[in-house]
């Protein structure tokens, strides 16, 4: 049996694994599995069939339904091109902050969850506790659904899930849904002096991006529903963050690549937004093909994340509020895996240490005070399981 590590020691170890979403997370999962096994805790995995990615889940306490589930993701965003003042994969303490990629989003919470699971095992709790560590959250929450499905026949069904995304330890009970589409516009190259005989893929793609601007303007002007008014902004947004294409300034672009993403307020059908986008795509494609028939636009789904719907008298919300004493209403516009757990029949809430404003930033950090608040939360959680 190895020594029981502190939450800080666990966070140091987890951050040391450079689990950027484009790379494997298996060394981290192997280490967590070995650490839990050294304390007599069996863990289970979902193994991605095509990529070197694993998810891990485990159960301690009575082998019965009704567990509290602590949910976190193991992947982090890249550090490429960011001006870090220290090694991103080494936790450094400065000025009351812990710096390191993932300290805030969300290996700080993962460390606290692992600590709580081990402590619950030794405390012989009367109510079970589970942990679920996913992959590929940062590229569209694609790793959680198969992990949740894999949990069902292996572990007793949990009652409530606490997703530890950074919320400054406030109980967040709702978030927007999201859907996104990789878009490849295929044009026809000619000399730009004869552009009317070719199809410029970038300029055709710009029509779709301008459509997104129009959608945002229309949605902003519309009176929000009572549910939408809880969010900032209180409307569905369309967004393109990266675009590439073209060969030279004097050639009509043959290719244009971008992703069209929607963040959809609860109460609206995110599939309907996807349908509206595809209708616009077909309209622009028709215009292209009237010039050069072999041009086209290829659209492939990129991610699909359900909203977290506020629950009336939700078990997860009530449980967290009893610990934190926070009775205010909190909603966020970013997406998480909470909606996916909710769709699978769990009561779900978001509550974790750190501020989302620090996530993905160069010199990402979590306030020491926030990490300690997360530790207090876990100690109080364990008291409620005894």
């Amino acid at each position: 049996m190895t020594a029981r590590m502190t939450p800080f020691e666990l966070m140091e170890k987890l951050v040391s694994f450079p689990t950027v979403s484009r790379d494997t997370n298996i060394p981290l999962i192997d280490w967590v599995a070995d650490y839990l096994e050294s304390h007599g805790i069996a863990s289970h995995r979902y193994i991605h069939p095509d990529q070197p990615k694993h998810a891990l889940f485990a159960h301690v306490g009575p082998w019965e339904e009704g567990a509290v589930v602590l949910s976190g993701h193991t992947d982090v965003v890249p550090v490429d091109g960011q001006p870090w003042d220290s090694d991103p994969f080494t936790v450094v303490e400065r000025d009351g902050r812990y710096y390191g990629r993932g300290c805030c989003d969300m290996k700080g919470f993962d460390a606290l969850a692992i600590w709580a699971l081990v402590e619950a095992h030794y405390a012989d709790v009367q109510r079970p506790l589970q942990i679920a560590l996913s992959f590929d959250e940062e590229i569209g929450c694609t790793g959680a659904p198969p992990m949740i499905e894999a949990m069902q026949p292996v572990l007793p069904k949990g009652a409530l899930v606490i997703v530890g995304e950074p919320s400054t330890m406030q109980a967040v009970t709702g978030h927007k849904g999201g859907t996104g589409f990789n878009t490849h516009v295929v044009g026809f190259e000619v000399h730009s002096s004869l552009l009317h005989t070719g199809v410029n893929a970038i300029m055709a793609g710009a029509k779709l991006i301008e459509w997104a601007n129009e959608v945002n303007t229309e949605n902003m002007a519309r009176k929000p529903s009572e549910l939408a008014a809880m969010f900032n902004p209180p409307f569905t947004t369309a967004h393109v963050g990266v675009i590439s294409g073209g060969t030279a300034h004097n050639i009509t672009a043959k290719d244009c690549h971008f992703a069209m993403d929607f963040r959809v307020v609860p109460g609206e059908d995110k599939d309907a937004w996807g349908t509206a986008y595809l209708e616009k795509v077909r309209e622009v494609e028709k215009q292209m093909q009237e010039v050069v028939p072999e041009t086209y636009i290829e659209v492939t789904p990129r991610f699909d994340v359900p909203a977290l719907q506020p629950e009336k008298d939700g078990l997860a919300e009530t449980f967290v509020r009893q610990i934190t004493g926070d009775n205010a209403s909190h909603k966020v516009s970013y997406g998480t895996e909470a909606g996916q757990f909710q769709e699978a029949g769990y009561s779900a809430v978001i509550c974790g240490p750190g501020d989302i404003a620090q996530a993905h930033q160069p010199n990402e950090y979590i306030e020491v005070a926030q990490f300690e608040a997360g530790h207090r939360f876990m100690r109080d959680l364990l008291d409620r399981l005894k």
Side-chain angles (χ1 to χ4, degrees):
M1 181 180 70
T2 60
R4 283 144 74 175
M5 297 172 69
T6 67
F8 176 75
E9 290 170 337
L10 288 163
M11 180 171 66
E12 278 190 308
K13 188 64 179 180
L14 296 180
V15 170
S16 73
F17 294 99
T19 52
V20 176
S21 302
R22 65 180 175 233
D23 301 322
T24 184
N25 73 332
I26 294 176
L28 182 151
I29 293 296
D30 285 345
W31 183 86
V32 173
D34 290 344
Y35 178 71
L36 295 180
E37 184 180 12
S38 74
H39 292 286
I41 300 172
S43 63
H44 310 269
R45 301 193 194 199
Y46 166 75
I47 298 175
H48 194 291
D50 303 315
Q51 299 181 45
K53 307 281 183 72
H54 291 182
L56 178 145
F57 44 94
H59 176 110
V60 299
W63 195 257
E64 62 188 29
E65 295 187 351
V68 174
V69 185
L70 301 176
S71 165
H73 61 81
T74 60
D75 59 317
V76 296
V77 297
V79 299
D80 309 44
Q82 292 188 333
W84 282 75
D85 295 331
S86 56
D87 178 0
F89 300 107
T90 300
V91 177
V92 175
E93 182 178 358
R94 300 194 301 271
D95 304 321
R97 299 168 174 173
Y98 294 131
Y99 289 86
R101 176 55 90 220
C103 282
C104 177
D105 184 20
M106 61 182 298
K107 290 180 177 179
F109 177 84
D110 292 346
L112 292 165
I114 294 167
W115 176 86
L117 193 76
V118 172
E119 295 302 310
H121 173 67
Y122 285 110
D124 192 26
V125 292
Q126 300 305 300
R127 181 178 183 180
L129 182 67
Q130 295 178 0
I131 191 173
L133 300 177
S134 70
F135 57 85
D136 284 356
E137 190 274 349
E138 297 291 5
I139 55 175
C141 298
T142 58
M147 175 192 71
I148 295 169
E149 183 178 359
M151 291 169 63
Q152 306 311 306
V154 176
L155 302 183
K157 182 68 174 283
L160 64 95
V161 177
I162 302 171
V163 177
E165 292 283 357
S167 70
T168 62
M169 297 310 301
Q170 295 175 327
V172 172
T173 57
H175 67 62
K176 291 184 177 182
T179 187
F181 303 90
N182 287 327
T183 305
H184 180 197
V185 184
V186 180
F188 187 81
E189 289 182 317
V190 298
H191 194 280
S192 60
S193 64
L194 298 171
L195 64 85
H196 66 292
T197 64
V199 173
N200 188 314
I202 292 176
M203 296 180 73
K207 294 180 181 181
L208 299 175
I209 296 172
E210 180 55 24
W211 174 83
N213 287 326
E214 294 169 357
V215 163
N216 290 335
T217 299
E218 292 170 3
N219 287 351
M220 189 182 303
R222 187 180 299 120
K223 182 180 179 181
S225 68
E226 183 177 348
L227 183 55
M230 299 178 181
F231 293 83
N232 181 25
F235 53 87
T236 293
T237 57
H239 179 255
V240 174
V242 176
I243 186 169
S244 64
T247 302
H249 293 296
N250 61 351
I251 302 175
T252 57
K254 183 178 186 299
D255 296 286
C256 179
H257 297 268
F258 59 88
M260 181 68 72
D261 296 344
F262 298 88
R263 293 188 181 273
V264 183
V265 293
E268 292 187 7
D269 184 356
K270 60 180 169 49
D271 294 336
W273 283 107
T275 298
Y277 177 58
L278 292 176
E279 288 176 355
K280 186 64 180 181
V281 166
R282 299 286 81 88
E283 176 188 325
V284 173
E285 183 181 61
K286 183 173 182 289
Q287 295 169 0
M288 295 165 53
Q289 292 175 346
E290 287 173 352
V291 180
V292 179
E294 59 263 38
T295 59
Y296 62 93
I297 303 175
E298 181 179 49
V299 176
T300 55
R302 194 166 77 88
F303 68 91
D304 188 24
V305 181
L308 174 63
Q309 303 283 350
E311 302 172 6
K312 183 176 176 57
D313 302 321
L315 289 175
E317 175 185 355
T318 300
F319 185 82
V320 167
R321 291 194 188 283
Q322 288 172 345
I323 296 175
T324 64
D326 172 26
N327 292 314
S329 177
H330 305 287
K331 310 293 186 295
V332 295
S333 292
Y334 58 82
T336 77
E337 297 169 339
Q340 294 168 325
F341 275 100
Q342 191 178 63
E343 278 199 339
Y346 297 82
S347 176
V349 68
I350 301 164
C351 186
D355 188 335
I356 193 64
Q358 305 308 322
H360 305 181
Q361 298 298 308
N363 294 319
E364 176 185 343
Y365 67 83
I366 187 171
E367 298 278 357
V368 173
Q370 273 290 301
F371 192 66
E372 291 175 346
H375 192 188
R376 288 193 299 274
F377 177 92
M378 291 300 178
R379 291 197 297 267
D380 291 343
L381 181 151
L382 291 173
D383 286 341
R384 292 180 176 274
L385 300 182
K386 294 178 181 178

